[in-house]
Structure formats: C-alpha cells, structure tokens
Short mmCIF file of all heavy atoms in Angstrom, two decimals:
data_model
loop_
_atom_site.label_atom_id
_atom_site.label_comp_id
_atom_site.label_asym_id
_atom_site.label_seq_id
_atom_site.Cartn_x
_atom_site.Cartn_y
_atom_site.Cartn_z
N ALA Y 1 -10.02 -2.86 0.38
CA ALA Y 1 -8.73 -2.37 -0.37
C ALA Y 1 -8.37 -3.26 -1.46
O ALA Y 1 -7.99 -2.88 -2.56
CB ALA Y 1 -7.65 -2.00 0.61
N ARG Y 2 -8.47 -4.59 -1.17
CA ARG Y 2 -8.11 -5.63 -2.13
C ARG Y 2 -9.01 -5.57 -3.35
O ARG Y 2 -8.62 -5.90 -4.48
CB ARG Y 2 -8.10 -7.02 -1.55
CG ARG Y 2 -6.87 -7.30 -0.71
CD ARG Y 2 -6.68 -8.69 -0.38
NE ARG Y 2 -5.34 -9.05 0.25
CZ ARG Y 2 -5.19 -9.68 1.37
NH1 ARG Y 2 -6.20 -10.08 2.13
NH2 ARG Y 2 -3.93 -9.86 1.87
N GLN Y 3 -10.28 -5.24 -3.17
CA GLN Y 3 -11.22 -5.10 -4.27
C GLN Y 3 -10.97 -3.87 -5.11
O GLN Y 3 -10.90 -3.89 -6.28
CB GLN Y 3 -12.68 -5.02 -3.70
CG GLN Y 3 -13.29 -6.17 -3.19
CD GLN Y 3 -14.54 -5.88 -2.35
OE1 GLN Y 3 -15.16 -4.80 -2.48
NE2 GLN Y 3 -14.98 -6.74 -1.43
N VAL Y 4 -10.66 -2.84 -4.44
CA VAL Y 4 -10.48 -1.49 -5.09
C VAL Y 4 -9.07 -1.27 -5.80
O VAL Y 4 -9.07 -0.86 -6.99
CB VAL Y 4 -10.77 -0.30 -4.17
CG1 VAL Y 4 -10.54 1.02 -4.90
CG2 VAL Y 4 -12.20 -0.38 -3.70
N GLN Y 5 -8.10 -1.53 -5.04
CA GLN Y 5 -6.73 -1.36 -5.57
C GLN Y 5 -6.41 -2.36 -6.62
O GLN Y 5 -6.28 -3.59 -6.28
CB GLN Y 5 -5.70 -1.31 -4.45
CG GLN Y 5 -6.01 -0.49 -3.18
CD GLN Y 5 -6.03 1.02 -3.47
OE1 GLN Y 5 -6.91 1.54 -4.00
NE2 GLN Y 5 -4.80 1.57 -3.05
N GLN Y 6 -6.13 -2.01 -7.90
CA GLN Y 6 -5.84 -2.95 -8.97
C GLN Y 6 -4.35 -3.23 -9.01
O GLN Y 6 -3.62 -2.95 -10.09
CB GLN Y 6 -6.41 -2.29 -10.22
CG GLN Y 6 -7.91 -1.97 -10.23
CD GLN Y 6 -8.74 -3.14 -10.02
OE1 GLN Y 6 -8.75 -4.03 -10.91
NE2 GLN Y 6 -9.67 -3.10 -9.06
N LEU Y 7 -3.87 -3.88 -8.04
CA LEU Y 7 -2.49 -4.14 -7.90
C LEU Y 7 -1.84 -5.06 -9.10
O LEU Y 7 -0.77 -4.71 -9.70
CB LEU Y 7 -2.11 -4.76 -6.62
CG LEU Y 7 -2.04 -3.81 -5.40
CD1 LEU Y 7 -2.06 -4.55 -4.07
CD2 LEU Y 7 -0.63 -2.96 -5.52
N ASP Y 8 -2.64 -6.05 -9.34
CA ASP Y 8 -2.11 -7.00 -10.39
C ASP Y 8 -2.04 -6.24 -11.78
O ASP Y 8 -0.91 -6.37 -12.47
CB ASP Y 8 -3.04 -8.19 -10.64
CG ASP Y 8 -2.81 -9.23 -9.39
OD1 ASP Y 8 -1.95 -9.03 -8.64
OD2 ASP Y 8 -3.66 -10.00 -9.34
N LEU Y 9 -3.04 -5.50 -12.10
CA LEU Y 9 -3.04 -4.77 -13.38
C LEU Y 9 -1.98 -3.74 -13.37
O LEU Y 9 -1.28 -3.52 -14.44
CB LEU Y 9 -4.41 -4.14 -13.55
CG LEU Y 9 -4.73 -3.39 -14.88
CD1 LEU Y 9 -6.12 -3.56 -15.34
CD2 LEU Y 9 -4.43 -1.93 -14.80
N TYR Y 10 -1.79 -3.03 -12.27
CA TYR Y 10 -0.69 -2.01 -12.26
C TYR Y 10 0.62 -2.66 -12.37
O TYR Y 10 1.45 -2.08 -13.21
CB TYR Y 10 -0.82 -1.29 -10.92
CG TYR Y 10 0.45 -0.31 -10.80
CD1 TYR Y 10 0.47 0.84 -11.39
CD2 TYR Y 10 1.57 -0.76 -10.07
CE1 TYR Y 10 1.49 1.65 -11.42
CE2 TYR Y 10 2.75 0.06 -10.13
CZ TYR Y 10 2.63 1.25 -10.76
OH TYR Y 10 3.75 2.01 -10.73
N ARG Y 11 0.89 -3.77 -11.70
CA ARG Y 11 2.13 -4.32 -11.86
C ARG Y 11 2.54 -4.85 -13.25
O ARG Y 11 3.67 -4.84 -13.77
CB ARG Y 11 2.38 -5.51 -10.81
CG ARG Y 11 2.56 -4.92 -9.41
CD ARG Y 11 2.79 -6.00 -8.33
NE ARG Y 11 3.13 -5.46 -7.12
CZ ARG Y 11 2.50 -5.71 -6.00
NH1 ARG Y 11 1.44 -6.47 -5.87
NH2 ARG Y 11 2.84 -5.04 -4.80
N GLN Y 12 1.43 -5.29 -13.95
CA GLN Y 12 1.65 -5.73 -15.32
C GLN Y 12 2.01 -4.58 -16.19
O GLN Y 12 2.91 -4.58 -17.01
CB GLN Y 12 0.41 -6.33 -15.88
CG GLN Y 12 -0.02 -7.72 -15.32
CD GLN Y 12 -1.47 -8.05 -15.66
OE1 GLN Y 12 -2.19 -7.44 -16.42
NE2 GLN Y 12 -2.07 -9.03 -14.93
N ALA Y 13 1.37 -3.43 -15.99
CA ALA Y 13 1.50 -2.28 -16.83
C ALA Y 13 2.97 -1.70 -16.45
O ALA Y 13 3.68 -1.32 -17.32
CB ALA Y 13 0.45 -1.14 -16.43
N ALA Y 14 3.35 -1.69 -15.18
CA ALA Y 14 4.64 -1.21 -14.80
C ALA Y 14 5.75 -2.03 -15.45
O ALA Y 14 6.78 -1.41 -16.00
CB ALA Y 14 4.77 -1.21 -13.23
N ALA Y 15 5.53 -3.29 -15.40
CA ALA Y 15 6.67 -4.26 -16.01
C ALA Y 15 6.75 -3.96 -17.47
O ALA Y 15 7.87 -3.92 -18.04
CB ALA Y 15 6.31 -5.69 -15.70
N ALA Y 16 5.69 -3.68 -18.11
CA ALA Y 16 5.67 -3.53 -19.58
C ALA Y 16 6.39 -2.25 -19.94
O ALA Y 16 6.87 -2.26 -21.16
CB ALA Y 16 4.21 -3.45 -20.08
N VAL Y 17 6.39 -1.21 -19.10
CA VAL Y 17 7.15 0.00 -19.44
C VAL Y 17 8.45 0.14 -18.63
O VAL Y 17 9.00 1.29 -18.58
CB VAL Y 17 6.25 1.28 -19.34
CG1 VAL Y 17 5.14 1.23 -20.33
CG2 VAL Y 17 5.66 1.38 -17.83
N GLY Y 18 8.89 -0.93 -18.04
CA GLY Y 18 10.16 -0.89 -17.40
C GLY Y 18 10.24 -0.06 -16.10
O GLY Y 18 11.28 0.53 -15.77
N VAL Y 19 9.13 -0.03 -15.41
CA VAL Y 19 9.06 0.75 -14.04
C VAL Y 19 9.13 -0.32 -12.90
O VAL Y 19 8.26 -1.24 -12.92
CB VAL Y 19 7.73 1.65 -13.98
CG1 VAL Y 19 7.59 2.14 -12.58
CG2 VAL Y 19 7.79 2.66 -15.04
N ALA Y 20 9.96 -0.23 -11.99
CA ALA Y 20 10.02 -1.04 -10.89
C ALA Y 20 8.74 -0.99 -10.03
O ALA Y 20 8.27 0.16 -9.81
CB ALA Y 20 11.17 -0.79 -9.94
N ALA Y 21 8.18 -2.14 -9.62
CA ALA Y 21 7.01 -2.03 -8.74
C ALA Y 21 7.36 -2.83 -7.53
O ALA Y 21 7.70 -4.04 -7.52
CB ALA Y 21 5.86 -2.70 -9.61
N ASN Y 22 7.19 -2.25 -6.33
CA ASN Y 22 7.46 -2.88 -5.04
C ASN Y 22 6.68 -4.11 -4.98
O ASN Y 22 5.39 -4.11 -5.33
CB ASN Y 22 7.05 -1.86 -3.97
CG ASN Y 22 7.54 -2.28 -2.62
OD1 ASN Y 22 7.82 -3.44 -2.32
ND2 ASN Y 22 7.70 -1.30 -1.64
N ALA Y 23 7.27 -5.18 -4.47
CA ALA Y 23 6.47 -6.40 -4.29
C ALA Y 23 5.64 -6.43 -3.01
O ALA Y 23 4.70 -7.27 -2.88
CB ALA Y 23 7.48 -7.58 -4.12
N GLN Y 24 5.87 -5.45 -2.15
CA GLN Y 24 5.05 -5.27 -1.03
C GLN Y 24 3.75 -4.53 -1.25
O GLN Y 24 3.70 -3.63 -2.09
CB GLN Y 24 5.82 -4.47 0.11
CG GLN Y 24 7.12 -5.10 0.53
CD GLN Y 24 7.04 -6.49 1.10
OE1 GLN Y 24 6.15 -6.66 1.90
NE2 GLN Y 24 7.82 -7.35 0.63
N ASP Y 25 2.60 -4.96 -0.63
CA ASP Y 25 1.39 -4.28 -0.89
C ASP Y 25 1.11 -3.16 0.24
O ASP Y 25 0.17 -2.49 0.10
CB ASP Y 25 0.22 -5.29 -0.69
CG ASP Y 25 0.28 -6.34 -1.89
OD1 ASP Y 25 0.95 -6.03 -2.88
OD2 ASP Y 25 -0.33 -7.40 -1.68
N MET Y 26 1.99 -3.16 1.23
CA MET Y 26 1.88 -2.19 2.30
C MET Y 26 3.11 -1.34 2.46
O MET Y 26 4.19 -1.77 2.01
CB MET Y 26 1.70 -2.89 3.63
CG MET Y 26 0.41 -3.67 3.76
SD MET Y 26 -1.16 -2.77 3.89
CE MET Y 26 -2.22 -4.15 4.18
N ARG Y 27 2.99 -0.17 3.00
CA ARG Y 27 4.28 0.72 3.40
C ARG Y 27 4.00 1.17 4.78
O ARG Y 27 2.87 1.27 5.20
CB ARG Y 27 4.47 1.78 2.31
CG ARG Y 27 3.36 2.74 2.22
CD ARG Y 27 3.52 3.70 1.05
NE ARG Y 27 2.51 4.77 0.89
CZ ARG Y 27 2.74 6.09 0.91
NH1 ARG Y 27 4.00 6.56 1.07
NH2 ARG Y 27 1.71 6.90 0.82
N SER Y 28 5.06 1.75 5.36
CA SER Y 28 4.95 2.22 6.66
C SER Y 28 5.26 3.77 6.78
O SER Y 28 6.22 4.10 6.01
CB SER Y 28 5.91 1.62 7.66
OG SER Y 28 5.78 2.07 8.99
N SER Y 29 4.46 4.53 7.44
CA SER Y 29 4.65 6.02 7.49
C SER Y 29 4.39 6.56 8.85
O SER Y 29 3.69 6.00 9.69
CB SER Y 29 3.64 6.66 6.54
OG SER Y 29 3.67 6.12 5.25
N GLN Y 30 5.09 7.56 9.20
CA GLN Y 30 4.87 8.33 10.47
C GLN Y 30 4.21 9.72 10.16
O GLN Y 30 4.78 10.41 9.34
CB GLN Y 30 6.15 8.49 11.24
CG GLN Y 30 5.87 9.14 12.60
CD GLN Y 30 7.01 9.09 13.53
OE1 GLN Y 30 8.23 8.90 13.12
NE2 GLN Y 30 6.84 9.14 14.78
N LEU Y 31 3.12 9.96 10.79
CA LEU Y 31 2.43 11.18 10.54
C LEU Y 31 2.75 12.27 11.59
O LEU Y 31 3.51 11.98 12.50
CB LEU Y 31 0.89 10.94 10.52
CG LEU Y 31 0.30 10.41 9.16
CD1 LEU Y 31 0.86 9.02 8.87
CD2 LEU Y 31 -1.17 10.51 9.03
N ILE Y 32 2.23 13.43 11.44
CA ILE Y 32 2.57 14.62 12.21
C ILE Y 32 2.39 14.43 13.70
O ILE Y 32 3.13 15.02 14.54
CB ILE Y 32 1.81 15.85 11.70
CG1 ILE Y 32 2.34 17.10 12.39
CG2 ILE Y 32 0.34 15.67 11.97
CD1 ILE Y 32 1.70 18.38 11.66
N ASP Y 33 1.49 13.62 14.12
CA ASP Y 33 1.18 13.43 15.56
C ASP Y 33 2.08 12.21 16.13
O ASP Y 33 1.89 11.83 17.22
CB ASP Y 33 -0.32 13.17 15.82
CG ASP Y 33 -0.82 11.98 14.91
OD1 ASP Y 33 -0.05 11.40 14.20
OD2 ASP Y 33 -2.00 11.75 14.88
N GLY Y 34 2.94 11.71 15.29
CA GLY Y 34 3.86 10.70 15.85
C GLY Y 34 3.30 9.25 15.54
O GLY Y 34 3.96 8.27 15.79
N LYS Y 35 2.03 9.16 15.18
CA LYS Y 35 1.47 7.87 14.98
C LYS Y 35 1.98 7.14 13.69
O LYS Y 35 2.30 7.79 12.77
CB LYS Y 35 -0.01 7.94 14.87
CG LYS Y 35 -0.77 8.23 16.07
CD LYS Y 35 -2.26 8.24 15.89
CE LYS Y 35 -3.05 8.57 17.07
NZ LYS Y 35 -2.90 7.50 18.14
N ILE Y 36 2.26 5.89 13.81
CA ILE Y 36 2.74 5.09 12.78
C ILE Y 36 1.56 4.44 12.02
O ILE Y 36 0.69 3.84 12.70
CB ILE Y 36 3.79 3.94 13.15
CG1 ILE Y 36 4.92 4.58 14.02
CG2 ILE Y 36 4.20 3.09 11.98
CD1 ILE Y 36 5.86 5.22 13.13
N TRP Y 37 1.51 4.44 10.73
CA TRP Y 37 0.46 3.93 9.94
C TRP Y 37 1.15 2.95 9.03
O TRP Y 37 1.93 3.28 8.12
CB TRP Y 37 -0.41 4.87 9.12
CG TRP Y 37 -1.29 4.21 8.13
CD1 TRP Y 37 -1.21 4.26 6.74
CD2 TRP Y 37 -2.41 3.28 8.38
NE1 TRP Y 37 -2.13 3.50 6.16
CE2 TRP Y 37 -2.93 2.85 7.13
CE3 TRP Y 37 -2.86 2.70 9.55
CZ2 TRP Y 37 -3.92 2.02 7.02
CZ3 TRP Y 37 -4.02 1.74 9.46
CH2 TRP Y 37 -4.48 1.47 8.16
N ASP Y 38 0.83 1.56 9.13
CA ASP Y 38 1.38 0.59 8.26
C ASP Y 38 0.29 -0.39 7.79
O ASP Y 38 0.59 -1.42 7.13
CB ASP Y 38 2.52 -0.15 8.90
CG ASP Y 38 2.11 -0.89 10.16
OD1 ASP Y 38 0.94 -0.96 10.56
OD2 ASP Y 38 3.02 -1.41 10.92
N GLY Y 39 -0.95 -0.11 8.19
CA GLY Y 39 -2.10 -0.97 7.69
C GLY Y 39 -2.35 -2.22 8.44
O GLY Y 39 -3.20 -3.04 8.10
N SER Y 40 -1.51 -2.50 9.50
CA SER Y 40 -1.48 -3.67 10.27
C SER Y 40 -2.78 -3.97 11.21
O SER Y 40 -3.22 -5.02 11.29
CB SER Y 40 -0.22 -3.89 11.01
OG SER Y 40 -0.18 -2.87 11.99
N ASN Y 41 -3.27 -2.83 11.65
CA ASN Y 41 -4.46 -3.05 12.57
C ASN Y 41 -5.40 -1.83 12.43
O ASN Y 41 -5.45 -0.98 13.30
CB ASN Y 41 -4.07 -3.22 13.97
CG ASN Y 41 -5.21 -3.74 14.85
OD1 ASN Y 41 -6.46 -3.64 14.49
ND2 ASN Y 41 -4.94 -4.38 16.01
N PRO Y 42 -6.13 -1.73 11.25
CA PRO Y 42 -6.87 -0.52 10.98
C PRO Y 42 -7.94 -0.14 11.96
O PRO Y 42 -8.20 0.99 12.27
CB PRO Y 42 -7.43 -0.72 9.53
CG PRO Y 42 -7.24 -2.31 9.34
CD PRO Y 42 -6.09 -2.73 10.13
N ALA Y 43 -8.65 -1.17 12.43
CA ALA Y 43 -9.73 -0.89 13.38
C ALA Y 43 -9.23 -0.27 14.70
O ALA Y 43 -9.85 0.70 15.11
CB ALA Y 43 -10.51 -2.19 13.70
N ALA Y 44 -8.11 -0.81 15.14
CA ALA Y 44 -7.51 -0.26 16.47
C ALA Y 44 -6.99 1.20 16.06
O ALA Y 44 -7.10 2.09 16.92
CB ALA Y 44 -6.41 -1.10 16.97
N TYR Y 45 -6.32 1.42 14.89
CA TYR Y 45 -5.77 2.63 14.50
C TYR Y 45 -6.84 3.70 14.50
O TYR Y 45 -6.84 4.75 14.99
CB TYR Y 45 -5.22 2.48 13.23
CG TYR Y 45 -4.58 3.79 12.61
CD1 TYR Y 45 -3.36 4.28 13.02
CD2 TYR Y 45 -5.15 4.54 11.66
CE1 TYR Y 45 -2.83 5.46 12.47
CE2 TYR Y 45 -4.76 5.67 11.09
CZ TYR Y 45 -3.52 6.25 11.59
OH TYR Y 45 -3.08 7.37 11.02
#
C-alpha cells in the first residue's frame, strides 16, 4: 500500500488548491457484518 498510494504527492496537490488533507494514513470503518476494518492487522482480518 505504501508503494501504490501516492500520499505525499496527493497532500502536496491538496495543499496547493486549499483542500484539507487528513494527517492520518488510516481510517476506521464498520462493515455490514459488524466487522471493524482499520488496517491494523490485515492478515488476521
């Protein structure tokens, strides 16, 4: 994911056009089956 997601480039572009960019690289979500996905343990997930 660190190879593919161009976070630095995106944040530079966002700053240049005045768009706020979250400083966090992860977010947390709950899916329909109740499972929480936050990227913390992908193999176990």
Side-chain angles (χ1 to χ4, degrees):
R2 282 192 170 128
Q3 289 167 15
V4 176
Q5 310 290 80
Q6 304 295 304
L7 277 163
D8 289 347
L9 184 144
Y10 173 80
R11 287 187 171 118
Q12 291 165 15
V17 294
V19 172
N22 192 336
Q24 303 299 314
D25 296 344
M26 301 284 190
R27 62 186 181 124
S28 181
S29 308
Q30 185 168 22
L31 277 69
I32 190 172
D33 52 7
K35 286 185 183 290
I36 303 288
W37 168 245
D38 60 9
S40 60
N41 195 338
Y45 178 82

